[in-house]
Every structure is written in structure tokens, then in C-alpha cells.
Amino acid sequence: MKTPVQIAVTGAAGQITYALLFRLAAGDFLGPDQPVVLRLLEVPAAMDSMQGVVMELEDCAFPLLRGVVTTSDPRVAFENADYAFLVGAKPRGEGMERKDLLEVNAQIFSVQGKALNDVAHPDVKVLVVGNPANTNALIAQRNAPRLDPSNFSAMTRLDHNRSVSLLASHCSVPVTDIRRVIIWGNHSSTQYPDIHHAIVGGDRATSRVDRQWYETLFIETVQQRGSAIIKIRGKSSAASAANAALEHMRTWVAGTADGDWVSMVIPSDGSYGIEPGLMFSYPVTIEDGRHRIVQGLDIDDFSRRMLAATEAELKSERDAVAALL
Ligand code: NAX
């Protein structure tokens, strides 16, 4: 048997983690021969509720689960962590302005970034799910100068999966026939779901769908999918978000399939004219645990405008939390 890997998960009493932890413990992330230790972080007020989740984990008698650490101290949660799923975040409270939300989360992610810097494994792979995910990831990354910036990421995989599913159903093909969709930019309603380079079966997606449908319905449906689920379910996406988080990390470790890519928020290197350093969602291929931005894609005027809008939003988020960078 291999040595257990240390997986830190924050917001461990929340609804996304309720769907995530059992899959991590079951081996869905790293396979059936990789034992894991879960290192769970919560705020003090949610420790009891987190303990209930731990009791359920125990009751599953998962063969791969070699230990569970529970704490409200990030330095304990992230100690020697190989992987960190940063799911916990402060939701928008009543009367809270967007700037207040950014600031309160920036505080959380600056503390967590520092703790990762000090105690995590030097190659730790960090995924930020908690919103505003891109900017939270930026804060964490900037507060962890010891770590390679490329070890920090945020999640647009749920938006990517939503795009794959919607395109497949519109074209009446299985999801396995869809490749190369892209989510550019921010995980917010300015994100740009792009199918200009996507493939449906053996065809270019643009030859299979009506431009009008794409520019209006497709883009808006993906951008607004989270709100649509809240409206109908009364709660935000949880199982699909947990699934996307698991897939994001699994692809990061296992690599992308030949001829395909995934969308991932990573530090911009200036590709496609985006300001270097911004945490921006790009199409990436992954090999040996290293992501590389797909280069050389044609960007038409429509796409250029969409990229500019989401980049502008990310810059304004960054400027709102500049004191903590
Ligand atoms: P919940 O409110 O159910 O759970 C969040 C948990 O985080 C709570 O138990 C809370 O006590 C904990 N928490 C708050 N501050 C913490 C801190 N400083 N340290 C540790 N734990 C802390 O939210 P849930 O539905 O699970 O969503 C979690 C986050 O994911 C939210 O920010 C949400 O907006 C975001 N999402 C991001 C998505 C993405 O694609 N990037 C999609 C799904 C989701 O909306």
C-alpha cells in the first residue's frame, strides 16, 4: 500500500463538502490503491456540525480512509497537505455590498494563503471553490510566496461541464462526443463560455449550431445556471460542484485526454492579451501535473469583447482587495 496523501478541505460542514468528502474517502480522486487522510477545516461555530459529518465518514468504514483531522486552525489543516480544496467562504449577507463580500473573503484567503505557505507540502496543489473564487485564489497565491504560483487554481470546471452537457443535448449527441469547449475569465456571470473551437463528434461545433442560439441562449444559460438552480432547488449547486472539484483535481494529477483540454483558473502569463498575474480561466492541457495554456487559438471580435469584459471585472475585484495582495 502507498503512503497516505494528506488532503485538506475547508468549509467541511458545508453542502458542497458533504458531497465531496465521501467521494474523496472512497477513492474517486486518486484511485483504489491510494490511502488518504482528510484534514478538515471549519469555523469554530460549525465544529459540532463537522463532527457529525466525521461520524458518518467513520460509519462508511472506507478502506482507504486512514485518518480524519478536524480543526479550526488553518495551520493544522494545511500541515504537509498534498492537496487543498478551499471550499469554505463567507456568503453574501443581507445588506452586504459586493465590496464587503470581497473584503471579508480576502481576509479569510489571506490567512489561509499564509498558512499554506508556512506548513503545506511545497508541491501542494490548491483549488479554490469558495466565491469570489478567482480573486480568493489570487489573494491566497500572493500570500504564499514560498509556493510556485502555478500551484494555485480556482474552479470553472463546473461551468465547463455545464457547457459540455448543454452542447451535447442541443446537438443530440452523448457528452463523450464533445471536446474543446472553453470557459474564459471569471467564475461569475461575466464568464465567457466559448464554443468556437469546440468539436461535436467529428465536426466543428459552429457548423452544428445556430449562431443566434449560441450568442444568446447558450452563453446566458451557462452564465446563469447557478442562479437557475438556486431558484428551483432553493439551494445552490452542491453535488455538481463537488463533482467538478474532484474532476478538476483529478485531471490536474492524471492529465488531459489526447485531443482535449479543460478550463481552469490559473495565473495569467499574458496569453491572449490578459494582464499577467490575474487569476483567469483558460483552456489548458495537463501533463505530469503541469498545466499549459493552449496557444494559438483564433479570437474573433465577438470573443475579444467577451474576454475584455470578464478581464475588466477581475481587475476591479483585484483593485477592491489591493491592500491584501
Ligand atoms: P455552505 O454555506 O453550505 O458551506 C460553506 C462552509 O464554509 C460553511 O460550513 C462555513 O462555516 C464554512 N466556512 C466559512 N468561512 C470559513 C473559514 N474561514 N474557514 C473554514 N470554513 C469556513 O456553502 P456551499 O454551498 O458548500 O458553497 C461553498 C462555496 O462554494 C461558496 O462560496 C459558493 O459560492 C461556492 N461555489 C463555487 C462554485 C464554483 O464553481 N467555483 C460553484 C458552487 C458554489 O456556488
Side-chain angles (χ1 to χ4, degrees), residues 174-195:
V175 288
T176 44
D177 275 10
I178 306 291
R179 288 182 296 131
R180 300 187 174 184
V181 301
I182 305 172
I183 303 296
W184 299 96
N186 201 2
H187 168 69
S188 75
S189 58
T190 68
Q191 66 176 263
Y192 173 37
D194 181 2
I195 63 162

Side-chain angles (χ1 to χ4, degrees), residues 11 13-16 42-43 87-89 108 112 129-131 155 187 236 241:
Q15 54 151 4
I16 292 177
E42 255 300 346
V43 294
V87 184
I108 292 173
Q112 295 187 359
V129 176
N131 278 320
M155 189 165 96
H187 168 69
S236 54

Side-chain angles (χ1 to χ4, degrees), residues 84-156:
F85 292 77
L86 307 188
V87 184
K90 192 94 182 151
R92 194 177 206 144
E94 216 166 295
M96 212 180 198
E97 296 293 327
R98 187 161 157 277
K99 189 167 180 349
D100 303 332
L101 181 75
L102 280 161
E103 273 174 8
V104 71
N105 279 295
Q107 294 288 351
I108 292 173
F109 283 83
S110 110
V111 170
Q112 295 187 359
K114 287 188 176 84
L116 283 163
N117 185 67
D118 293 348
V119 302
H121 188 282
D123 294 327
V124 63
K125 287 181 163 51
V126 182
L127 165 63
V128 176
V129 176
N131 278 320
N134 297 51
T135 298
N136 290 341
L138 179 68
I139 300 270
Q141 181 258 305
R142 292 285 182 86
N143 280 277
R146 181 180 69 102
L147 303 175
D148 184 335
S150 69
N151 289 4
F152 285 81
S153 69
M155 189 165 96
T156 45

